[in-house]
Each structure stands twice: as structure tokens, then as C-alpha cells.
């Protein structure tokens, strides 16, 4: 009987083959209410974000990337489901549905196909930050939508306080060393608005982003030997304005300040501009720690990094931010809650060392629904793309290959009076007041912009291009599927009147 001899070179070849077969890791960092102009690589001049800028220098910068919607929960649902808001389950924020009023409307079972598909493909899945797609124990619980571990804020409303009394680790509350106080209060009458002592009660010992960040790094270390998805939806820079002193002191005296007294909904802050800059730069440092750890573990060339934001910055009157001062929307019209560009056009950076050319830029129109097919194509699993999604892979664009332009981008929300928008090429339709009263079908406003020559949407050209308006209205009508939870009167009435299904 002959013996088979395996030579060392064969063992080496098998080892190399096994190493090459490992699927790339995915690190997806999602900021909260970050504007297009809030990063120095997108034009921010009043503070710097060097670690995030490095992702741009070593990867691709997207200049026409759109969040899934113009507020938190529906934007995240679009990201995780691969569906645009006319088809996605969550189409607006709706909270107070869990035990004790904690948690948002839960997505149904099997709805979030991005994490569920990656889970089926053998990925370890960790989420760290803010969830907002269903209370603990509901069908929208992250553990029931593919995640092995979620650590952070399950509820968006609780996340308004950066010093909460507890965070969630899956279905277990983890106590923090913080006093119990509301994130929605004013300075008491008679308080000295210029004294630091007047603001001392709006802080604590355990800063939630630091605690969450430590758990995210722990997850990477514990899963270094298998492919993983690190989903990192930080709460920064969503209000309230809260940041530890070691970050705040960097900006002490740098900006003219008017104390925020809390009269506009969120917590007071003595130096609101310094706080906003400090929150974003502290987040930038956390991004740097994630990248550094990936490099330290020898995973750099096998890790895809994505950084973007869930919607645009707030209007200043809502809580002490000064997006005009910082030019947070980079000159775009609109803010969070709007379908003008400033409300949902977001910074987006993608880095994959050795695969995506550094220092490159694309103006291809892309959206949150595109991430599911894009990531699956990048990891070599195109055939696993779920049916019934709206996303279109832009992996070829990231890899330097040509691909036809996106045929259209569609958004809708029942919020803000009922809004709808559609973009085809450089033409963009914006419709508002779609939920305005019992005769909503007769009340909508309709605007048309040519973003190629008017990116700030200053000039409505609907009257001059009625044919394009009609084309986009037909497209928008086709993309809207009615939802009992999220009715839009004008669209639903029109659908019933025409007999559309």
C-alpha cells in the first residue's frame, strides 16, 4: 500500500488558499444628524476630523450619496432592508411603543435583510450605538434581525441623553454611573447663564459614546478570526449637546458664544458651539481607534470601511446647535426632516485597502438602499441578493469600473406635512403638503430643480418644464405603495381614485 506524502509547500498552499477564502470584514459607521459639511474633507473649516479625512485620502469620497430618509428610524430601515421609503416598512419616527414607552415601531420578522443575509453567510454581527427599529423582545429586536450582539441605546428618545442611567447589552440592562435626569429641560429661573455651575447637573460620570466605543473594540478583538460586520450607529452629533470636559476644553474660547438655556427643547449648554465641535472631533477620534485596531490585528487589507450619516443637521432653533455658523449643510437648502438636499444628502466615504483606489471621488447618485447589494457584491455573494429590494449595487463604481447611472432615486415621508421627492439625472422633484387636511390631493406644492446648475435649489423651474414635472410625478406615483401605519393622504387618495393597486 502506497503512502501519500503531503509536502510542506502543499500545506503552505492550502493555508494561503484558506486565508484568501476568508470574506472581508465590514465596518459600517453611521453618524447621527451629521451634515454634509461637518467633516473637514467635505469643507468644514472651524474644526478638523483627521481620522475620517484619512478614510477619504485612502478610499473613495461620494458626493451624491443620499440617506434612506430625512429622519432617523426610516433612514435606518432603508439601510438595513434595501428598500426605498415607498416600499420600506418604517416610513417615519414613531416611538413610545415598548415597555415603559421605550422603543420605536418594530420592523416585522425577517425584514432587515442586510444583517440577516450576512448572518446566513457566516458573519459575526455586532451593533453598537443607537438602534431605533423595535424594542427589546419585539420582532424588531436586533437579536431577532441577525445581530449576535447589540450594545447601546435601543430607543432613540433615551439616546437624547449622553449620560443615561443604563444601556442595553442584548436583552440585559447595563447600569451606568450617572444620575437620573431628563434630556429635555431648561435652566431654572434665576440661574446665571454664564456660570458653569448652572450647567453642572446636566452631566454624569459615564459618557455613553465612550462606553459603547469600548464594547465595539472588544467585539472586533473577539471576532478577529472570522468575518464580521461591525455596525456602529453612533449617536453623535444628535442633541442634546453633551461632551466630557477633556474634549470641550480644546475649543474653549475659540468661538463667539451665546449660552443655550434649554428654551428650544434640548438640554442647556453654556458654550454650545464648542460643544458641537467637540462632540464631532471626539467621534473622529473614536473612528481612528477602530481603524487602528483593525490595523493592529492585521485585518486592514481585508476590511471594508464605510462612514456616512443617517440624515442632515437640525434646524438651529430646535436645540442649541448652530449649523449656520458651522455651515453644516455645506450651503445646501433644508435640514433634517426636509427633502431638500440639506436634509438627506450626506457625506460618505468608503475605504478598502488595495481594492478601492485612494483619493478618488464619484458623483454617482447612490442611496442607503444600495448598500445591501453593494456589500454583497464586494464580498463575492451577488447571488445572495434578496428579491424585492430597491437597491442597485455600486460596487463597480467603488472598484473603478464604469456602470450606467442610477435610473432614479425616490423618497417619501408622511412627516413634515407629507413629502415626496424623486431624482432622475440632475432633475429633482420636490412635493410637499401631501398630508395637508381632508382635501390633501388638491393641496400639494410641486417644485422642480436642476441640480446641475442649481445645487442649492434656489430656483423652482416647474413652470418652465411641465413635461419633466409630469414624468417625475408619474414615477413618484408608481413608487408609492400605501401603508396603513404611514398614510399620505394625497398619494393614497389619488391611488384610490385611479384604481391603482
Amino acid at each position: 500500500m502506497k503512502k501519500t506524502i503531503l509536502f510542506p509547500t502543499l500545506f503552505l498552499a492550502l493555508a494561503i488558499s484558506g486565508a484568501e477564502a476568508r470574506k472581508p470584514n465590514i465596518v459600517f459607521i453611521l453618524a447621527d444628524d451629521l451634515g454634509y459639511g461637518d467633516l473637514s474633507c467635505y469643507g468644514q473649516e472651524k474644526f478638523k476630523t483627521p481620522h475620517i479625512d484619512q478614510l477619504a485620502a485612502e478610499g473613495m469620497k461620494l458626493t451624491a450619496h443620499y440617506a434612506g430618509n430625512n429622519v432617523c428610524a426610516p433612514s435606518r430601515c432603508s439601510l438595513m432592508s434595501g428598500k426605498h421609503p415607498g416600499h420600506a416598512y418604517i416610513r417615519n419616527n414613531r416611538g413610545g411603543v415598548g415597555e415603559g414607552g421605550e422603543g420605536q415601531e418594530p420592523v416585522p420578522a425577517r425584514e432587515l435583510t442586510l444583517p440577516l443575509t450576512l448572518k446566513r453567510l457566516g458573519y459575526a454581527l455586532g451593533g453598537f450605538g443607537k438602534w431605533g427599529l423595535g424594542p427589546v423582545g419585539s420582532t424588531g429586536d436586533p437579536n431577532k434581525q441577525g445581530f449576535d450582539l447589540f450594545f447601546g441605546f435601543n430607543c432613540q428618545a433615551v439616546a437624547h441623553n449622553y449620560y443615561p442611567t443604563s444601556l442595553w447589552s442584548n436583552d440585559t440592562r447595563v447600569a451606568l454611573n450617572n444620575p437620573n435626569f431628563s434630556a429635555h429641560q431648561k435652566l431654572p429661573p434665576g440661574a446665571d447663564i454664564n456660570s458653569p455651575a448652572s450647567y453642572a447637573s446636566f452631566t454624569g460620570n459615564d459618557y455613553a459614546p465612550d462606553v459603547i466605543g469600548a464594547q465595539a473594540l472588544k467585539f472586533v478583538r473577539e471576532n478577529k478570526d472570522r468575518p464580521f460586520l461591525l455596525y456602529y450607529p453612533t449617536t453623535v452629533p444628535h442633541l442634546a449637546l453633551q461632551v466630557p470636559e477633556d474634549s470641550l476644553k480644546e475649543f474653549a474660547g475659540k468661538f463667539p458664544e451665546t449660552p443655550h438655556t434649554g428654551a428650544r427643547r434640548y438640554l442647556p449648554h453654556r458654550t454650545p458651539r464648542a460643544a458641537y465641535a467637540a462632540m464631532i472631533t471626539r467621534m473622529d477620534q473614536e473612528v481612528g481607534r477602530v481603524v487602528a485596531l483593525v490595523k493592529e490585528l492585521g485585518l486592514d487589507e481585508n476590511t471594508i470601511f464605510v462612514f456616512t450619516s443617517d440624515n442632515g443637521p437640525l434646524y438651529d432653533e430646535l436645540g442649541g446647535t448652530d449649523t449656520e455658523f458651522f455651515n453644516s449643510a455645506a450651503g445646501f437648502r433644508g435640514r433634517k426632516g426636509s427633502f431638500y438636499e440639506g436634509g438627506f444628502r450626506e457625506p460618505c466615504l468608503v475605504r478598502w485597502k488595495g481594492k478601492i483606489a485612494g483619493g478618488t471621488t464619484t458623483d454617482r447618485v447612490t442611496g442607503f438602499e444600495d448598500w445591501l447589494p453593494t456589500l454583497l457584491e464586494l464580498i463575492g455573494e451577488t447571488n445572495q441578493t434578496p428579491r424585492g429590494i430597491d437597491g442597485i449595487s455600486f460596487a463597480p463604481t467603488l472598484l473603478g469600473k464604469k456602470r450606467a447611472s442610477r435610473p432614479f432615486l425616490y423618497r417619501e415621508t408622511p412627516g413634515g406635512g407629507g413629502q415626496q421627492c424623486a431624482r432622475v439625472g440632475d432633475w429633482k422633484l420636490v412635493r410637499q403638503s401631501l398630508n395637508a387636511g381632508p382635501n390633501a390631493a388638491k393641496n400639494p406644492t410641486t417644485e422642480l430643480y436642476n441640480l446641475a446648475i442649481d445645487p442649492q435649489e434656489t430656483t423652482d423651474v416647474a413652470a418652465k418644464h411641465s413635461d419633466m414635472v409630469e414624468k417625475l410625478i408619474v414615477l413618484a406615483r408608481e413608487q408609492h405603495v400605501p401603508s396603513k401605519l404611514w398614510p399620505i393622504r394625497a398619494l393614497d387618495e389619488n391611488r384610490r381614485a385611479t384604481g391603482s393597486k
Side-chain angles (χ1 to χ4, degrees):
M1 182 176 177
K2 293 183 178 180
K3 293 182 179 180
T4 301
I5 300 175
L6 295 176
F7 293 98
T9 52
L10 179 56
F11 282 117
L12 179 60
L14 290 172
I16 293 173
S17 176
E20 292 176 344
R22 172 173 165 168
K23 296 190 181 305
N25 311 304
I26 301 166
V27 175
F28 198 109
I29 304 171
L30 184 67
D32 196 345
D33 292 2
L34 186 81
Y36 189 92
D38 274 333
L39 304 176
S40 41
C41 56
Y42 278 83
Q44 180 54 239
E45 297 179 346
K46 290 184 166 62
F47 56 83
K48 299 296 182 183
T49 52
H51 299 289
I52 298 172
D53 295 351
Q54 192 65 27
L55 296 179
E58 298 176 353
M60 181 173 285
K61 174 180 170 182
L62 281 63
T63 61
H65 188 62
Y66 291 89
N69 215 305
N70 55 27
V71 293
C72 299
S75 189
R76 293 154 198 266
C77 182
S78 180
L79 170 66
M80 290 286 164
S81 68
K83 299 176 183 177
H84 67 52
H87 298 151
Y89 182 79
I90 304 293
R91 304 188 186 184
N92 200 6
N93 286 336
R94 180 172 179 262
V97 302
E99 183 178 347
E102 183 176 346
Q104 281 64 50
E105 176 68 30
V107 294
R110 299 179 296 279
E111 182 69 14
L112 305 186
T113 49
L114 192 158
L116 289 167
T117 302
L118 290 175
K119 178 68 174 176
R120 192 175 66 250
L121 292 172
Y123 276 73
L125 273 69
F128 301 87
K130 186 174 92 174
W131 182 244
L133 294 175
V136 172
S138 72
T139 55
D141 185 319
N143 293 147
K144 295 183 180 180
Q145 296 287 341
F147 283 90
D148 301 296
L149 173 62
F150 181 83
F151 186 94
F153 297 96
N154 175 279
C155 178
Q156 294 176 173
V158 178
H160 294 172
N161 188 349
Y162 285 82
Y163 292 98
T165 57
S166 65
L167 295 169
W168 286 99
S169 179
N170 287 346
D171 61 355
T172 302
R173 284 190 184 274
V174 177
L176 301 185
N177 184 20
N178 294 321
N180 184 17
F181 63 92
S182 170
H184 302 277
Q185 56 180 299
K186 305 175 184 178
L187 278 180
D192 181 356
I193 65 171
N194 294 309
S195 171
S198 298
Y199 304 84
S201 61
F202 309 130
T203 188
N205 298 299
D206 292 338
Y207 189 59
D210 291 355
V211 178
I212 292 167
Q215 291 297 316
L217 296 178
K218 179 181 177 184
F219 171 82
V220 172
R221 291 190 188 95
E222 291 179 347
N223 290 279
K224 62 184 177 61
D225 296 324
R226 59 182 295 196
F228 60 80
L229 165 68
L230 172 63
Y231 173 52
Y232 199 157
T234 176
T235 54
V236 180
H238 195 296
L239 294 170
L241 293 168
Q242 295 168 290
V243 67
E245 283 296 321
D246 61 338
S247 289
L248 189 63
K249 68 181 181 181
E250 178 183 348
F251 296 96
K254 286 196 173 182
F255 311 126
E257 297 279 13
T258 299
H260 169 57
T261 63
R264 296 173 293 182
R265 185 178 175 188
Y266 289 94
L267 282 176
H269 202 285
R270 190 173 66 89
T271 55
R273 288 175 175 170
Y276 190 73
M279 289 169 73
I280 294 176
T281 54
R282 194 179 185 96
M283 174 188 67
D284 177 72
Q285 293 165 6
E286 193 62 49
V287 172
R289 279 188 277 274
V290 174
V291 175
L293 177 59
V294 168
K295 291 180 178 179
E296 175 191 321
L297 297 174
L299 303 174
D300 196 28
E301 295 186 1
N302 203 38
T303 301
I304 302 164
F305 289 92
V306 180
F307 180 93
T308 188
S309 176
D310 66 343
N311 50 250
L314 279 170
Y315 287 97
D316 294 342
E317 63 268 20
L318 291 179
T321 56
D322 195 341
T323 57
E324 291 297 323
F325 176 77
F326 288 110
N327 194 23
S328 295
F332 289 128
R333 181 180 180 180
R335 298 291 188 272
K336 177 179 181 178
S338 164
F339 282 138
Y340 294 120
E341 296 290 281
F344 72 124
R345 186 165 172 171
E346 298 304 317
C348 185
L349 305 165
V350 190
R351 175 190 181 274
W352 189 6
K353 186 176 180 180
K355 301 292 193 303
I356 296 175
T360 53
T361 302
T362 179
D363 61 358
R364 177 184 172 84
V365 174
T366 55
F368 269 22
E369 63 266 48
D370 296 335
W371 281 110
L372 172 51
T374 298
L375 291 172
L376 288 177
E377 184 168 351
L378 288 176
I379 69 172
E381 293 287 356
T382 302
N383 61 344
Q384 296 296 318
T385 303
R387 296 180 180 180
I389 66 170
D390 299 300
I392 299 172
S393 174
F394 59 95
T397 301
L398 296 173
L399 299 175
K401 303 173 185 176
K402 290 186 177 181
R403 182 155 190 185
S405 300
R406 204 180 201 288
F408 69 88
L409 185 96
Y410 175 77
R411 297 289 183 266
E412 70 172 56
T413 179
Q419 305 171 70
Q420 191 180 38
C421 78
R423 177 173 176 174
V424 173
D426 292 319
W427 293 105
K428 182 182 171 190
L429 177 82
V430 178
R431 304 185 76 203
Q432 301 181 79
S433 300
L434 294 165
N435 261 337
N439 296 313
K442 299 179 181 179
N443 296 326
T445 63
T446 301
E447 304 162 43
L448 181 72
Y449 300 97
N450 185 336
L451 297 179
I453 59 176
D454 183 23
Q456 285 76 35
E457 297 168 294
T458 61
T459 306
D460 175 13
V461 295
K464 295 181 180 180
H465 299 278
S466 57
D467 55 339
M468 181 57 67
V469 170
E470 182 58 30
K471 175 182 176 181
L472 292 178
I473 286 177
V474 170
L475 169 66
R477 184 185 304 137
E478 292 171 345
Q479 295 305 311
H480 169 72
V481 173
S483 165
K484 291 181 180 180
L485 276 178
W486 323 103
I488 301 180
R489 292 188 186 94
L491 305 183
D492 298 343
E493 289 168 9
N494 180 277
R495 204 173 185 94
R496 286 192 294 269
T498 60
S500 301
K501 294 182 180 180

